[in-house]
Amino acid sequence: MDFETQSQKKKYGAGVFGDVYGILMLPKEIEIEKDVSSPFELRFQVPDFRVAIKDILRTREAGEFLSGALAGAMTKAVLAPLETIRQSIEVSKWVSVGKQTKSRSYKTRMVVGVGSKHISGTFVEIIEQQGWQGLWAGNAINMLRIIPTQAIELGTFEYVKRAMTSAQEKWSQTESPKVQIGPVSLNFSLSWISPVAVAGAAAGIASTLVCHPLEVLKDRLTVSRDVYPNLSIAISKIYKNGGVGAFYAGISPTLIGMLPYSTCFYFMYETMKKSYCKSKNKKSLNRPEMLVLGALAGFTASTISFPLEVARKRLMVGALQGKCPPHMAAALSEVIREEGLLGLYRGWGASCLKVMPSSGITWMFYEAWKDILLGEKRLL
């Protein structure tokens, strides 16, 4: 009997509790193998993310974000020579008003050592001293900022505009919420809100909040090249001196200036686009029309928001000189007190010459890339 029990224990496996033997019969499919080197075996398979990533890239939102990034990069590449010439002329003016110490260092930082005060003279001097590649000096730093900025701005604009339009349509199909307070009845409706205006404001806020650290890095790398020779050192020093908050220095005036500009820019472009298409009885604009309407939208937005830009620059200069106005309203008052109302538009012409081609070319490239990436024959 003992022999049979022992043999059964060897064959099937048994659990011993005092003098009682419990025999566990295991089927062949899950029979325990005794020659396994480890009692535990952990098996896992890495999920294949390629399909998920490909699906994400095929979404409309991804196409719009990518179109914005490509449009920003191409616009900056096309307009880089004009930006280089403009900055060089500004440096020359700094020298002429007697700020030799700051302007010379600034001139070195801008990588363009020219002294002419005119566009044609500056263009010739840059070509003579640095060759054609000198017209694109410092463009890599601008690309670092403009690509994510335009991607987030244009992508956010399209997404919020669709979401707001959809919300308005759904709300109009059902009875909107009402609040009764005694004899007063409040009807909450979204019909009076412009989806384009809301989307434009959201686009400006989102791009500013996300990309403002890149703007700070660009300014430090451009203005203080001797202190911040490269990107990694700039990031390290800024974080060491002020933590994460240092990357958002000046965010408040930037947001205040960006909000009306972004709202007006997108609202004017969409409004002019719809009005023009309706008057011409056409469904879409061609490329030259996009260029012109984009430039006009940039001109209008820049004109409306330019006083805030002047006040923002006054805050920046005041911070460097140690006598910064306490807030935006004080900066505006200071400009009016010192220079009159016309002082709020000092430099407006030069700003429009920069904004108009940039706005027009950006819209033209953006719509072209959307047609390529989101059309029937998609590349993604």
Side-chain angles (χ1 to χ4, degrees):
M1 186 69 179
D2 292 341
F3 175 79
E4 291 179 359
T5 304
Q6 294 297 329
S7 63
Q8 287 177 348
K9 287 164 64 178
K10 290 180 180 179
K11 184 175 181 180
Y12 303 110
V16 182
F17 300 93
D19 297 328
V20 181
Y21 294 96
I23 300 175
L24 177 63
M25 304 290 291
L26 299 177
K28 278 189 175 182
E29 289 79 2
I30 57 173
E31 188 171 333
I32 299 175
E33 297 181 2
K34 294 185 178 181
D35 57 346
V36 179
S37 58
S38 175
F40 300 102
E41 184 178 359
L42 180 62
R43 292 184 180 179
F44 65 93
Q45 184 177 0
V46 178
D48 189 359
F49 292 105
R50 289 177 296 180
V51 176
I53 293 174
K54 195 172 182 179
D55 290 341
I56 293 174
L57 291 176
R58 286 183 178 276
T59 61
R60 183 179 184 86
E61 289 75 14
E64 289 165 350
F65 274 77
L66 182 56
S67 298
L70 292 171
M74 295 176 70
T75 302
K76 186 58 66 175
V78 170
L79 297 179
L82 292 177
E83 183 68 12
T84 301
I85 292 172
R86 183 186 67 83
Q87 291 174 337
S88 300
I89 293 174
E90 287 183 358
V91 169
S92 179
K93 289 180 178 179
W94 275 37
V95 175
S96 65
V97 296
K99 298 181 179 179
Q100 277 81 3
T101 302
K102 290 184 179 180
S103 58
R104 282 174 188 155
S105 61
Y106 187 77
K107 184 169 25 175
T108 303
R109 291 175 239 133
M110 292 311 301
V111 197
V112 182
V114 295
S116 178
K117 299 180 184 178
H118 306 285
I119 294 177
S120 58
T122 302
F123 176 80
V124 171
E125 289 187 17
I126 292 174
I127 297 298
E128 289 178 350
Q129 295 180 15
Q130 303 183 25
W132 289 100
Q133 64 272 21
L135 295 173
W136 280 267
N139 193 48
I141 299 174
N142 289 324
M143 287 286 189
L144 175 70
R145 176 185 61 88
I146 200 66
I147 291 176
T149 300
Q150 289 295 87
I152 294 171
E153 187 172 321
L154 289 165
T156 302
F157 168 74
E158 297 281 11
Y159 179 80
V160 175
K161 183 180 71 171
R162 277 197 306 274
M164 282 293 300
T165 303
S166 176
Q168 282 186 336
E169 291 175 355
K170 290 180 180 179
W171 212 321
S172 63
Q173 294 173 0
T174 59
E175 188 176 358
S176 57
K178 295 181 179 179
V179 175
Q180 188 74 29
I181 305 176
V184 180
S185 178
L186 299 178
N187 187 6
F188 293 94
S189 174
L190 295 178
S191 60
W192 59 275
I193 300 176
S194 169
V196 175
V198 174
I205 293 172
S207 63
T208 301
L209 290 176
V210 175
C211 299
H212 189 75
L214 297 177
E215 184 72 22
V216 172
L217 286 170
K218 183 187 80 80
D219 291 341
R220 299 292 177 90
L221 289 170
T222 302
V223 176
S224 302
R225 196 70 181 179
D226 51 342
V227 180
Y228 306 99
N230 56 56
L231 183 61
S232 61
I233 293 177
I235 294 174
S236 177
K237 285 189 175 182
I238 293 173
Y239 181 78
K240 184 178 179 181
N241 294 333
V244 177
F247 290 97
Y248 284 89
I251 185 67
S252 296
T254 301
L255 277 174
I256 294 173
M258 171 58 72
L259 191 60
Y261 174 84
S262 180
T263 304
C264 179
F265 174 65
Y266 288 102
F267 180 80
M268 289 301 301
Y269 179 78
E270 289 289 324
T271 302
M272 289 189 295
K273 177 182 174 180
K274 289 181 179 179
S275 300
Y276 183 82
C277 289
K278 186 177 181 180
S279 65
K280 298 294 182 180
N281 196 21
K282 56 194 303 187
K283 293 183 178 180
S284 61
L285 303 173
N286 57 36
R287 303 297 177 229
E289 289 168 345
M290 292 176 188
L291 180 67
V292 173
L293 292 185
L296 289 175
F299 170 81
T300 305
S302 179
T303 302
I304 292 174
S305 62
F306 193 77
L308 295 176
E309 179 65 15
V310 171
R312 187 179 74 86
K313 290 182 179 179
R314 177 63 65 100
L315 290 172
M316 292 175 59
V317 172
L320 293 174
Q321 296 177 347
K323 50 178 182 179
C324 181
H327 45 72
M328 184 73 80
L332 288 171
S333 300
E334 187 177 287
V335 172
I336 295 173
R337 185 173 61 255
E338 295 179 0
E339 306 177 36
L341 290 174
L342 292 179
L344 296 176
Y345 282 91
R346 184 165 54 89
W348 167 76
S351 176
C352 288
L353 290 176
K354 174 187 174 183
V355 169
M356 289 178 66
S358 176
S359 302
I361 293 173
T362 297
W363 270 117
M364 184 179 68
F365 281 142
Y366 175 66
E367 298 285 2
W369 276 112
K370 274 208 312 181
D371 291 343
I372 295 172
L373 298 178
L374 301 176
E376 293 182 0
K377 297 181 179 179
R378 298 178 56 166
L379 297 181
L380 290 176

